[in-house]
Amino acid sequence: MTVLSGWGGYPRIDTEVLRVRDEADVARALDGGPLIPRGNGRSYGDSAIGAGRTLDMRGMDRMLGFADGVLTAEAGVLLSDVIEAFLPRGWFPAVTPGTRFVTLGGAIAADVHGKNHHLDGSFCDFVDWVDMIGPGGAVRRVARDDPGFDWIRGAMGLTGIVLRAGLRLRPVESGWIRQEVRVADTLDEAVEAFESRLDAPYAVAWIDGLARGAALGRSVIAFGRHAARDDLPPEARTDPFAVPRRREVPVPFHLPDFALNRFTVRAFNAANLAAGRRAEAKGPHLVDWARYFYPLDALKHWPRLYGRRGFMQFQCVLPLETSRAGLAALLDRIAAAGLASPLAVLKRMGPQAGRFSFPMEGYTLALDFPVSDRSLALMTALDDITDGHGGRFYLAKDSRLPARRLAATDPRVEAFRAERARSGADRVFASAQSERLKL
Amino acid sequence: MSGAVLVLGATSDMAREIARAFAAKGHPIRLAARVPERLADDKADLETRFGVPVTLHAFDALDTAAHAGFVAGLPELPEIAVCAVGLMGDQAETAADPEAAARVMRTNFEGPASILERLADAMEARGSGTIVGISSVAGLRGRASNYVYGAAKAGFTAYLSGLRNRLAKRGVHVVTVLPGFVRTRMTEGLDLPDRLTAEPSEVGAAVLRGVEKGRNIIYVRPVWQVVMTIIRALPEPIFKKTSL
C-alpha cells in the first residue's frame, strides 16, 4: 500500500499503486477490483486516488507519430514533453491548463481548460480521437464526433481508461506571447475588460482576494496572443522558438502553517498589483511561453508554501447572467474571512460541451485555501453562494465537496450515474472522489 | 552528426530512458532485444520525439554463438554500445533451482561479457568507441537476499574493469554503471527508500553524462557511493551478522 494525495496534499489516502507500461498491463489490471487511472498527480484533491487500486499511467508515455498537426501519443505523455518536442518545430498545445506537468490522459479525463476557453473551448475540443479501454476490457477508438466521446471527456476516468489519443496541436510562429496587461480597480471593471475583449485569444485575471469594499475584485488582467515572427525584435527572428531558460526554484521544505497569513499575502498582493501597473504602462510587450502560461511551474513543489497540512482549491463556474452578482458575493465572503489565498484566478468561459465537462458559458473563479476548519467552513459558505447563483464545481480541483451538493448543483449527475451503471463502469472504475461524491 | 548508439536489452525501463537521453542529443539509435517486435512503439516514440533514425534488432544475450554474427549484421559498428541486459531472479528460486540460478548468472554475466567482447574487438580495431555496462551495487558485496544475482554482477563489474584496462590505450572507453535502486519493472512491489531510489530517467541522464565526460564508474545517485563505501568497509565478522 502507498499513501497518495493530489497536488494539494489533502486528503492523503492509502491505495495500491500499479504501474502499467502497455495496453496488456491495463487489460490485466481490470480484473482485480475497482481502480482509477492516475497521470502525473496534478489534480488537487482525490480524483486520481483509487478506491482500492490506482493505475500509474506514467509508464505509458510513448509518442507514436505526428502527421498533419496531429500527435498520436499514449495517455501518460506529459504536456511538457509535447512542448519540448514540438515547439521547436512550430507547434504548441491548443489548450493548456496552468501547469504543463499534466498527462494527456489526465487532461482528457478532466477536460481541462486554459486561458482561451471563451474562444477555443477545452482540451478535448482538440482531441480528434481516443483509444479507450472499457470496463469489460474491450478497446475501441472513439472519435470526437462520436456520441460516446461525450461520456469520456470530463468523466474523470470513471467511464473507462484512455490509452492513446490523437491530439491536434496549434501552429505557432514563435515561442513568445504578445501580452497586454490591464489593471482593473473594481470587479465591474474586470468583467467589463473581459467582455470588451472577447476576441483576445488568451485572457486571465489574477484577483486580489483580500481587497474589500470599493476595491472588491481588484485585479490584474493579462491578455495575450501568440507572437508572429514579425512581432519579434530582429535579433530574435533567427530562432523564434528559443526563449531564455529559467531555472526552476524549488521550495525546499514545507513552510510552517503560519507562513501564509493575511500580512504576508497582503504584501504579496500589493507587489503583484504594482507589477501589474508597471506592465500595463509598458503597453503590448513580449513574454516567453513558460512565463505566460506556467508561472507556477518555475516554483517547484510550491504547495509546500501552504505547510504540511496542504491546501484545498475552490473552483466554480457561474452562468453569465448571474456572474457579476455571484462573483461579488463570493469575493465579499472571501475577503471578509481574510483567509490567505494569494492565488486567485478569474477567467471567462465559453459554452458547455460534452455530458460531464466542467465549463459552461460564464465566469470561473479559482482560489486556494490552507487546510483548516475555518477554510472548510468558508468553502461551505462559498458552495452556498455558487449553488444560489446556478453555478457548479470543478472536480479536478475538488477534495471535499459533499455528494448532495454536487447532485444539487449539477443535474447531469443522474445521467452520468445511469451511464456508468449501463456500461458496467461503476463496478470497475472508482476513485476516492467518486466514492465520496457517489458517482 | 553524432554516431549511432546500440542499446542491448532495450525493453527494460532503464534502457528506454538511456535511449531517450542519447536520441535527444541526435544520436541514431539501434534497439536490440529478444523480441524486437515489442519495441515498435518505443521506436515510434524516439522517432517522433527526437527525429532520429531508429532500427530494431533481434538479440538474445544467452545465444552467445550468434553474437559475432549479430555485430556483423548491424547497420554500422556503433559509436556507443550500452548493455542493459539483466535479470534479478528470485533468490529463493535461484537457490532451489540450479537452472534458474544458471539463468541469472548467464544473463547478468556470461551473455553481457560475450557480446561486449565482440564489440570491444571491433571498436579496438577501429580505434574508437565507448562501451557502457549496466552492472549493480549488488555486485560490490554479496548479501543473503540476492547473492546469486550479486555474484553475477560482481563478475560483470570485474569484467568491465578489465576491459577498461585493456582498451585504455586503444581509444576505446568503458563506463561501469552502478545504478542503485531504480523504480523499474524489476523492482516493482519492493518497498524502496525514496532517497536511495532513482527514476529510470535519472539513469538515462547519468549514463549520457558519464559517457560525455569519459567517467569510469558512475553511481546514479551520489549517496550510493557513500552507502557502498560503508557496506564494503564493514569487517566480515560484523557484516555476516547483518541483514542489509
Side-chain angles (χ1 to χ4, degrees):
Chain A
M1 295 293 260
T2 309
V3 180
L4 278 189
S5 64
W7 188 235
Y10 169 87
R12 300 167 58 81
I13 295 171
D14 252 336
T15 178
E16 184 189 338
V17 179
L18 278 164
R19 175 163 276 219
V20 289
R21 289 168 178 80
D22 53 34
E23 187 179 313
D25 284 352
V26 179
R28 263 194 303 277
L30 292 184
D31 286 335
L35 54 83
I36 203 74
R38 178 182 177 95
N40 206 32
R42 272 343 194 242
S43 60
Y44 283 55
D46 49 1
S47 338
I49 306 173
R53 294 181 308 147
T54 307
L55 280 200
D56 173 5
M57 302 294 290
R58 287 285 287 125
M60 288 184 72
D61 69 340
R62 299 173 191 87
M63 297 189 191
L64 301 171
F66 181 72
D68 306 320
V70 178
L71 168 68
T72 300
E74 290 181 331
V77 166
L78 294 175
L79 220 47
S80 57
D81 289 349
V82 175
I83 296 168
E84 200 172 306
F86 288 96
L87 181 56
R89 298 181 228 176
W91 301 90
F92 199 78
V95 168
T96 174
T99 170
R100 61 189 182 278
F101 301 118
V102 297
T103 61
L104 302 188
I108 293 167
D111 197 9
V112 298
H113 55 270
K115 306 175 194 344
N116 56 343
H117 192 271
H118 58 289
L119 270 192
D120 295 326
S122 52
F123 194 81
C124 289
D125 288 306
F126 296 88
V127 174
D128 281 9
W129 54 268
V130 298
D131 283 343
M132 194 188 75
I133 189 161
V139 176
R140 62 193 181 103
R141 182 157 294 195
V142 187
R144 189 172 56 245
D145 53 13
D146 185 316
F149 192 82
D150 284 344
W151 286 122
I152 298 170
R153 65 185 301 174
M156 305 307 285
L158 294 166
T159 54
I161 299 176
V162 172
L163 300 171
R164 285 172 288 271
L167 179 69
R168 191 164 284 284
L169 302 180
R170 174 191 306 279
V172 294
E173 288 186 28
S174 80
W176 298 87
I177 299 295
R178 189 175 175 277
Q179 175 178 257
E180 273 180 77
V181 172
R182 266 287 311 274
V183 175
D185 290 312
T186 65
L187 179 60
D188 276 354
E189 263 184 48
V191 170
E192 207 48 58
F194 275 110
E195 294 303 320
S196 65
R197 296 283 303 269
L198 285 177
D199 57 335
Y202 298 108
V204 62
W206 164 84
I207 294 200
D208 180 349
L210 290 177
R212 303 185 68 175
L216 187 80
R218 180 166 65 189
S219 46
V220 178
I221 309 161
F223 297 100
R225 65 166 169 82
H226 290 280
R229 205 162 159 265
D230 290 344
D231 291 326
L232 306 184
E235 66 275 14
R237 285 181 205 169
T238 46
D239 191 358
F241 301 108
V243 300
R245 264 216 184 270
R246 277 187 304 164
R247 281 179 74 109
E248 282 187 350
V249 180
V251 179
F253 47 80
H254 288 275
L255 294 191
D257 292 341
F258 57 81
L260 281 184
N261 56 52
R262 72 174 73 201
F263 303 104
T264 54
V265 173
R266 206 178 288 283
F268 171 87
N269 288 1
N272 220 10
L273 210 60
R277 291 196 199 280
R278 284 195 300 276
E280 182 177 37
K282 268 205 274 186
H285 55 277
L286 297 174
V287 287
D288 68 71
W289 60 271
R291 245 184 142 82
Y292 185 79
F293 290 108
Y294 313 111
L296 279 176
D297 282 351
L299 196 58
K300 222 173 157 183
H301 307 303
W302 63 263
R304 289 178 180 169
L305 294 175
Y306 285 95
R308 257 182 212 293
R309 276 188 284 178
F311 70 99
M312 303 175 285
Q313 186 163 84
F314 175 86
Q315 184 168 0
C316 68
V317 57
L318 299 170
L320 204 50
E321 314 82 73
T322 62
S323 280
R324 234 175 253 248
L327 289 172
L330 288 167
L331 290 169
D332 195 48
R333 188 74 188 70
I334 291 159
L339 281 170
S341 183
L343 306 166
V345 171
L346 179 69
K347 287 187 291 248
R348 173 71 155 83
M349 297 197 123
Q352 148 172 346
R355 301 269 209 157
F356 205 56
S357 269
F358 164 66
M360 68 160 106
E361 176 130 41
Y363 281 82
T364 180
L365 179 70
L367 306 104
D368 299 339
F369 299 104
V371 174
S372 71
D373 291 343
R374 280 183 66 214
S375 295
L376 281 166
L378 170 63
M379 289 169 93
T380 302
L382 301 181
D383 292 350
D384 288 336
I385 296 170
T386 305
D387 197 347
H389 290 83
R392 66 180 178 226
F393 304 96
Y394 191 14
L395 297 189
K397 303 291 180 69
D398 162 58
S399 54
R400 47 93 232 168
L401 202 67
R404 55 175 198 293
R405 179 75 78 178
L406 179 72
T409 51
D410 199 337
R412 304 173 305 173
V413 165
E414 211 170 307
F416 186 73
R417 281 183 191 138
E419 169 61 18
R420 294 235 304 144
R422 186 200 62 77
S423 71
D426 58 347
R427 290 184 295 281
V428 179
F429 305 112
S431 61
Q433 181 178 54
S434 77
E435 304 260 288
R436 173 167 53 79
L437 294 173
K438 301 193 168 54
L439 289 171
Chain B
M1 187 66 186
S2 314
V5 176
L6 168 68
V7 182
L8 300 156
T11 46
S12 81
D13 291 337
M14 271 193 251
R16 197 150 72 114
E17 293 297 339
I18 292 168
R20 280 181 175 173
F22 282 99
K25 293 283 179 182
H27 294 271
I29 304 291
R30 318 290 172 211
L31 299 177
R34 214 166 34 217
V35 189
E37 293 74 25
R38 282 183 50 202
L39 293 167
D41 286 351
D42 293 294
K43 169 175 151 69
D45 180 56
L46 295 169
E47 289 170 341
T48 307
R49 281 178 191 254
F50 308 112
V52 295
V54 180
T55 53
L56 304 181
H57 306 275
F59 167 72
D60 185 346
L62 299 185
D63 186 5
T64 50
H67 287 179
F70 168 81
V71 174
L74 289 172
E76 74 283 285
L77 180 63
E79 178 193 326
I80 298 160
V82 181
C83 181
V85 173
L87 173 68
M88 175 101 85
D90 174 73
Q91 174 62 33
E93 191 195 335
T94 48
D97 175 1
E99 279 197 28
R103 203 160 47 240
V104 168
M105 291 188 267
R106 294 192 66 213
T107 309
N108 290 302
F109 178 35
E110 184 187 330
S114 161
I115 185 64
L116 292 188
E117 195 68 21
R118 307 284 86 74
L119 288 160
D121 288 348
M123 286 183 180
E124 184 182 24
R126 182 178 63 188
S128 71
T130 301
I131 287 171
V132 180
I134 311 291
S135 193
S136 170
V137 293
L140 295 179
R141 195 154 195 182
R143 294 175 296 128
S145 57
N146 65 354
Y147 58 85
V148 174
Y149 173 78
K153 285 295 194 185
F156 188 45
T157 301
Y159 170 82
L160 292 168
S161 158
L163 196 63
R164 178 163 43 245
N165 186 202
R166 171 191 144 196
L167 298 172
K169 292 182 186 137
R170 303 291 186 158
V172 180
H173 184 58
V174 178
V175 183
T176 305
V177 185
L178 306 173
F181 297 147
V182 184
R183 230 173 276 288
T184 63
R185 199 190 292 267
M186 203 190 248
T187 57
E188 192 121 71
L190 300 181
D191 188 19
L192 303 175
D194 280 346
R195 267 179 196 289
L196 293 177
T197 308
E199 290 299 322
S201 57
E202 292 177 58
V203 180
V207 170
L208 174 68
R209 211 166 40 237
V211 168
E212 283 177 348
K213 296 197 166 167
R215 304 275 304 276
N216 298 315
I217 298 170
I218 57 175
Y219 295 83
V220 173
R221 292 212 167 176
V223 58
W224 271 102
Q225 187 157 8
V226 179
V227 171
M228 292 319 296
T229 302
I230 294 167
I231 290 180
R232 279 201 284 186
L234 285 178
E236 195 66 19
I238 297 171
F239 180 77
K240 73 178 182 186
K241 291 180 189 144
T242 61
S243 50
L244 286 165

